[in-house]
Amino acid sequence: MEARGIGAVLMATCHAAGLVVGLMAGISTEAARAGEKAVRVGVLTDMSGIYADFGGRGSVLAAQMAAEDFGGRIGSLPIEIVSADHQNKADIGSALARRWFDQEGVDVIADVPTSSVALAVSEIAREKNKVLLVSGAGTSDLTGKNCSPNTVHWTYDTWALANSTGGALTKAGFDTWYFITVDYSFGYALERDASDSLTAAGGRILGKVRHPVGTGDFSSFLLQAQGSRAKVVAFGNAGSDTINGVKQAAEFGLVQGGQKLASMLITLSDIHSLGLKVAQGLVLTEAFYWDLNPGTRGFAKRFAERNNGVYPNMVHAGVYGAVTHYLKARAAAATDDGTAIVRQMKHMATGDPLFGKGEVRGDGRVTHDLYLFEVKAPAESKGPYDYYRLLRTVPAADAFRPLEGGGCALVN
């Protein structure tokens, strides 16, 4: 898909998603026309591509719910949600971010699946002294060599996924791996972090192959993985790339041939698309699951009621948690200065019904528990979205890369 002009992108997004959502009933059209100032949260996501279910409209809804649950305003300022489709292109995402910050009065950008887009927008947020709240993008470089005083990374990252999923399987005896990895910054970071984690746990990577974003045919990659005789075939991708890869692996009979499939990044939305018959036995790590406790179940029910019965995944939950903490910090800091708000976010402990207690570290990494799951067989599922069996809770202290290990200049 060719990149369109930014004006066309914004116009299409406005038509498709409703660019501005007023969250207070008292916000009249007259007040809006009079130019009343607001706290504006921009959800920059994939509305139409391979990560549309991963983030997309679910992320916009999660941000809206966070603003509503906060009360809809900070002092006299109403909270508004805007949204746009970055089409998984760094140039489009960057141009949208600049327009939002320079012309549209956006204070903070949230979600941003696609690591290349998130890395670019992080630099713009620093330049404009605004705030970036990452939920969808995965590269651990966002809190490593590319860390910023204006960026907070909420839900997961490549180091955490590699350490939890890869480390656990390797220690269980699945010690030889073959990687099928997406060919851009997220895949590179995941492959690097997984290599480090597997080697430390005593594992070996027998081979790897990279595929283009949005590929429809995994046959050649799967044949190479099959021929490697690795105990684990790992998918270092996300969204529809993961769905297509796992489906075709089932068709090629990799599991029947004795190999185990592992997805280094897969969410509830993807499992729903795959179906339990295909996905059963997959081992994965998530930061959120709807059926963990009363708080997660309550949120999921409210979310599904407004999302045509579709349950939230961890990216949606991360948008809710990140926006909630931002609004608390913004109110406490009593300023719209981006670095001051992020400083306040780091000063305040995190805490919400979805992730529990945690913190925003000096490098911008949010720490909370992670969960190692195995996908249930169809006969084990008791109803819609009852897909996971919990294997292990990874405590926050162990889930993410140590603070001193990422090379972030902010740490010192």
Side-chain angles (χ1 to χ4, degrees):
M1 180 166 52
E2 295 295 321
R4 293 178 286 166
I6 297 305
V9 173
L10 285 170
M11 187 176 298
T13 303
C14 180
H15 176 73
L19 187 59
V20 179
V21 181
L23 297 178
M24 286 298 290
I27 302 174
S28 66
T29 55
E30 290 77 16
R33 283 195 295 267
E36 181 181 13
K37 182 171 171 54
V39 176
R40 305 193 86 201
V41 179
V43 181
L44 188 59
T45 189
D46 178 2
M47 292 288 194
S48 55
I50 63 171
Y51 304 136
D53 291 335
F54 184 74
R57 298 180 189 278
S59 291
V60 179
L61 174 57
Q64 182 176 346
M65 290 174 66
E68 291 171 350
D69 290 349
F70 188 77
R73 64 174 61 244
I74 296 177
S76 63
L77 302 180
I79 303 166
E80 295 177 356
I81 307 298
V82 303
S83 62
D85 184 351
H86 62 42
Q87 299 181 40
N88 301 307
K89 296 176 186 281
D91 57 345
I92 291 179
S94 297
L96 285 164
R98 288 188 182 278
R99 176 162 180 165
W100 270 354
F101 289 150
D102 290 341
Q103 301 176 34
E104 304 290 342
V106 169
D107 300 285
V108 54
I109 290 176
D111 195 15
V112 201
T114 311
S115 292
S116 56
V117 182
L119 288 166
V121 173
S122 180
E123 290 304 310
I124 296 168
R126 183 203 292 256
E127 174 192 337
K128 302 295 182 180
N129 195 23
K130 301 292 187 177
V131 178
L132 173 63
L133 308 173
V134 179
S135 183
T139 177
S140 60
D141 290 342
L142 284 163
T143 54
K145 65 180 183 179
N146 296 108
C147 68
S148 163
N150 298 75
T151 295
V152 173
H153 201 176
W154 194 273
T155 310
Y156 74 98
D157 61 37
T158 52
W159 193 97
L161 297 180
N163 184 57
S164 298
T165 305
L169 283 173
T170 300
K171 291 174 183 176
F174 298 94
D175 55 359
T176 56
W177 291 64
Y178 191 96
F179 270 85
I180 299 175
T181 307
V182 66
D183 191 11
Y184 78 98
S185 53
F186 162 70
Y188 310 151
L190 182 55
E191 191 175 279
R192 175 199 66 210
D193 292 340
S195 297
D196 293 343
S197 177
L198 296 174
T199 301
R204 291 182 299 134
I205 297 178
L206 300 186
K208 54 192 176 184
V209 64
R210 291 176 175 170
H211 69 82
V213 177
T215 190
D217 184 4
F218 282 82
S219 56
S220 64
F221 312 126
L222 290 167
L223 285 171
Q224 292 177 63
Q226 203 168 33
S228 74
R229 299 181 181 272
K231 294 179 182 177
V232 181
V233 176
F235 291 95
N237 48 25
S240 61
D241 280 339
T242 302
I243 292 169
N244 289 333
V246 172
K247 281 182 176 178
Q248 291 173 40
E251 294 168 2
F252 274 75
L254 268 68
V255 174
Q256 292 89 331
Q259 291 177 298
K260 191 171 189 64
L261 302 183
S263 176
M264 305 306 286
L265 174 56
I266 195 166
T267 70
L268 190 72
S269 305
D270 305 319
I271 301 301
H272 187 71
S273 296
L274 284 167
L276 294 183
K277 185 176 180 180
V278 172
Q280 60 182 310
L282 268 175
V283 175
L284 56 103
T285 298
E286 291 230 46
F288 165 89
Y289 179 49
W290 71 270
D291 201 20
L292 286 172
N293 55 59
T296 57
R297 286 190 285 271
F299 172 78
K301 181 180 179 181
R302 291 195 296 131
F303 183 97
E305 287 171 349
R306 299 172 61 172
N307 196 39
N308 298 316
V310 177
Y311 278 42
N313 63 33
M314 71 171 175
V315 175
H316 306 144
V319 171
Y320 179 91
V323 171
T324 296
H325 194 61
Y326 168 85
L327 295 174
K328 291 177 181 177
R330 166 104 186 222
T335 180
D336 62 359
D337 180 276
T339 54
I341 295 170
V342 171
R343 193 178 306 119
Q344 183 67 33
M345 292 179 74
K346 293 175 180 179
H347 177 71
M348 301 167 58
T350 64
D352 62 66
L354 310 188
F355 294 91
K357 299 294 184 182
E359 66 171 338
V360 184
R361 299 190 317 198
D363 58 357
R365 175 69 258 168
V366 177
T367 61
H368 46 69
D369 292 348
L370 294 179
Y371 306 95
L372 186 69
F373 295 109
E374 185 173 34
V375 178
K376 292 180 176 181
E380 297 176 280
S381 177
K382 298 177 182 178
Y385 292 94
D386 177 28
Y387 295 159
Y388 293 166
R389 177 172 54 257
L390 179 63
L391 299 179
R392 180 187 173 214
T393 297
V394 184
D398 301 328
F400 295 95
R401 181 177 57 200
L403 181 60
E404 67 278 5
C408 172
L410 300 174
V411 172
N412 295 326

